[in-house]
Amino acid sequence: MRLRDKVAIVTGAGQGLGEAIARRLAEEGASVVVADIDYQKAREVAKGITEQCHRRTLALFTDVTDGAQVRDMVKKTVEEFGRIDILVSNAGILLAHEITEFPEEDWRRIIDVNLTGYFLCAREVARVMKSQRSGVIIQINSKSGKKGSYKNCAYAASKFGGIGLTQSIALDLAPYGIRVNAVCPGNLLDSPLWVNSLYDQYAKKWGISKEEVRKRYEQQVPLGRGCTYQDVTNVVVFLAGDESSYMTGQAINVTGGQEMR
Ligand SMILES: NC(=O)c1ccc[n+]([C@@H]2O[C@H](COP(=O)([O-])OP(=O)(O)OC[C@H]3O[C@@H](n4cnc5c(N)ncnc54)[C@H](O)[C@@H]3O)[C@@H](O)[C@H]2O)c1
């Protein structure tokens, strides 16, 4: 238990990677706030974690693009648990189009959730962490935060921006003992994003089967497989704990080496 008695907030924790991170932080001993725009799912995840990991949880309806709701998330966390040690800014969306076909409202929505949402959560949490003179902020970024993404410009722009934000607030907050880092996962080939949407889209676009789509993506990875939740949560726990106490402003690739190809 490397995070015993820490208090963590995970945004977008109602499913997918956020759910896996919330569960892992609890397994490592943390109390966890499960925040999501899907309150029903957040409640189910929080209940499951409490039952299985015997840690305290709090489910909250929070839209990370709404400053008032983010303030409320932070206020309720402090009321319930007394402090905030870890923020994992995970909530993110992906809407992909070729540049000349890109609707302005989709562009704005992606920047709003992926970049402004991270800014709002980090700002509000940092106010509490500054008074504690300790804390850790972790952004879930992407390999698309370091390398352009085909027909996916808004997502890549939002994630590149997230690395600029990570580095800059790491500088602002270092004097207060607060560390800020990002994790850049590769393709989570078993996540709902892929299973419910991307395999289908790419299979149709390229005229191949979903299995062939998966194989194509696995072949892009030097280590020969997709990224798993555990690959990412291992690094999140490392960044959240004292073993990374000399690291701030970093964006760590968890890609099986894919960014080198
Ligand atoms: N799936 C992948 O292959 C992959 C790869 C690299 C990085 N990532 C990143 O990991 C993170 C999680 O991705 P995922 O695949 O688990 O996504 P997902 O769509 O499965 O889950 C995202 C969660 O965020 C919530 N959410 C969406 N908008 C929100 C908002 N405005 N406020 C609060 N919650 C909101 C959703 O309700 C959902 O529960 C994202 O930041 C994504 O960019 C994913």
Side-chain angles (χ1 to χ4, degrees), residues 12 15 17 36 62-64 90 140-141 155 159 186 188 191 194:
Q15 69 167 34
L17 179 59
D36 205 289
T62 310
D63 182 341
V64 296
N90 165 82
I140 301 303
N141 201 286
Y155 183 76
K159 295 293 188 181
L188 292 154
S191 68
W194 281 84

Side-chain angles (χ1 to χ4, degrees), residues 60-79:
L60 292 178
F61 171 83
T62 310
D63 182 341
V64 296
T65 68
D66 182 322
Q69 288 185 31
V70 172
R71 262 193 300 284
D72 195 50
M73 171 183 83
V74 168
K75 185 166 165 277
K76 286 192 169 130
T77 302
V78 174
E79 279 169 6

Side-chain angles (χ1 to χ4, degrees), residues 64-65 126 137 195 212:
V64 296
T65 68
I137 296 173
V195 174
E212 285 167 324

Side-chain angles (χ1 to χ4, degrees), residues 170-232:
L171 292 172
D172 290 3
L173 298 173
Y176 301 93
I178 302 164
R179 299 184 296 107
V180 189
N181 292 292
V183 181
C184 301
N187 298 313
L188 292 154
L189 294 179
D190 294 313
S191 68
L193 175 72
W194 281 84
V195 174
N196 301 337
S197 156
L198 293 183
Y199 286 126
D200 230 20
Q201 283 183 46
Y202 295 148
K204 281 194 191 114
K205 197 157 70 184
W206 297 326
I208 58 178
S209 70
K210 290 196 217 177
E211 292 68 32
E212 285 167 324
V213 173
R214 186 181 179 113
K215 212 167 268 161
R216 214 181 251 199
Y217 277 89
E218 285 170 348
Q219 281 166 353
Q220 293 173 13
V221 182
L223 290 180
R225 62 171 177 83
C227 188
T228 66
Y229 292 150
Q230 200 182 353
D231 293 325
V232 182

